[in-house]
Amino acid sequence: MAAAGGEPSSHNMSDELFQTFISEVKQIEKRDSVLTSKQQIDRLLRPGASYFNLNPFEVLQIDPEATDDELKKRFRALSILVHPDKNQDDPDRAQKAFEAVDKAYKLLLDPDQKKRALDVIHAGKEYVEHMVKEKKKQLKKDGKLLDVEEDDPEMFRQAVYKQTMKLFAELEIKRKEREAKDMHERKRAREEEIEAAEKAKREREWQKNFEETRDGRVDSWRTFQAKGKKSKEKKNRSFLKPPKVKMEQRE
């Protein structure tokens, strides 16, 4: 439906831009699908690959709406292309590239993981659409032409791509933070567990030692009491003994 003045609505424009974006992505995928083994390895291990490769669709160069059969075919073709056996002149880098492809494929085989990846991609598109809308709103308020760089399909595609990569990176950073926090908590719990076990061990050893030496302590106490009693009786006898009568000397 057209807006007032015969101009297309912003909603229709955004849908058209996104469809153009998808079309260009497919063209890029088709172009890149004929890359050589070395070129594919370079692509998968390029600077920043640890973040670029968070998007499994980007790794496999496949449309997010591709069928499971298309996904399987693409994985087989790409995995063969970068497999270490096919790249014996650079097996270490080939192995890393192969692992990236294998990880992306396994992630997309998991329905929950695939849905999360699709949610990120859709969120990236929605963010760019919102940004374009806000830019045009401000231009209209300022009385300027409603032209923004994202009206160019290529610029729109790049904006969506960058935002999508940013979202994947942010999610990965949060995941690592949670993982580090969980590891710290597990470590602390383990340390507390060890400390509790050592404390319990010390208490058992003290109790054992206490019981083993109890008879000796009792005997010592009895001996001490007996000696004390004898000493007391001796003193009492000395106290009760009549004094010696001193004989008077005769003159």
Side-chain angles (χ1 to χ4, degrees), residues 139-177:
L139 289 171
K140 184 176 181 180
K141 183 178 179 181
D142 296 340
K144 299 178 180 179
L145 292 175
L146 306 184
D147 293 334
V148 295
E149 61 179 4
E150 289 82 10
D151 287 338
D152 180 343
E154 174 60 21
M155 297 303 294
F156 181 81
R157 184 193 71 79
Q158 290 183 16
V160 172
Y161 177 82
K162 290 177 181 178
Q163 183 60 28
T164 300
M165 289 298 100
K166 181 180 178 182
L167 291 175
F168 272 111
E170 289 175 349
L171 289 173
E172 178 65 6
I173 290 170
K174 290 180 180 179
R175 184 193 69 79
K176 288 183 177 180
E177 288 176 347

Side-chain angles (χ1 to χ4, degrees), residues 227-238:
K227 288 182 178 180
K229 187 176 181 180
K230 289 180 181 180
S231 176
K232 186 175 181 181
E233 290 176 352
K234 183 177 180 181
K235 288 181 179 179
N236 288 340
R237 285 197 300 270
S238 298

Side-chain angles (χ1 to χ4, degrees), residues 30-48:
K30 185 177 180 179
R31 180 198 69 200
D32 289 349
S33 65
V34 297
L35 293 178
T36 65
S37 294
K38 183 180 183 308
Q39 289 171 327
Q40 285 288 7
I41 291 172
D42 289 341
R43 178 183 71 85
L44 292 166
L45 301 182
R46 66 193 186 279

Side-chain angles (χ1 to χ4, degrees), residues 14 37 49 60 78 121 131 146 150 162 180 182 195 201-202 206 227 229 235-236 243:
S14 63
S37 294
L60 298 175
L78 190 54
I121 292 173
M131 180 184 67
L146 306 184
E150 289 82 10
K162 290 177 181 178
D182 291 343
E195 176 60 26
K201 181 180 179 181
R202 290 193 299 268
W206 184 90
K227 288 182 178 180
K229 187 176 181 180
K235 288 181 179 179
N236 288 340

Side-chain angles (χ1 to χ4, degrees), residues 35-118:
L35 293 178
T36 65
S37 294
K38 183 180 183 308
Q39 289 171 327
Q40 285 288 7
I41 291 172
D42 289 341
R43 178 183 71 85
L44 292 166
L45 301 182
R46 66 193 186 279
S50 59
Y51 285 104
F52 287 120
N53 293 348
L54 291 173
N55 183 347
F57 298 104
E58 166 70 15
V59 172
L60 298 175
Q61 296 176 308
I62 193 169
D63 187 283
E65 304 303 324
T67 65
D68 290 343
D69 285 341
E70 290 172 332
L71 174 63
K72 185 181 295 185
K73 289 178 181 178
R74 180 56 185 157
F75 166 70
R76 287 179 176 174
L78 190 54
S79 62
I80 291 173
L81 201 59
V82 301
H83 198 281
D85 290 347
K86 185 177 175 64
N87 299 275
Q88 296 185 10
D89 58 327
D90 195 1
D92 292 340
R93 296 181 76 246
Q95 179 63 34
K96 291 179 181 178
F98 176 81
E99 289 172 358
V101 171
D102 185 62
K103 181 179 179 180
Y105 177 63
K106 288 179 178 177
L107 188 149
L108 292 179
L109 288 180
D110 184 322
D112 293 335
Q113 295 283 357
K114 183 177 181 179
K115 182 179 181 302
R116 277 194 281 270
L118 287 171

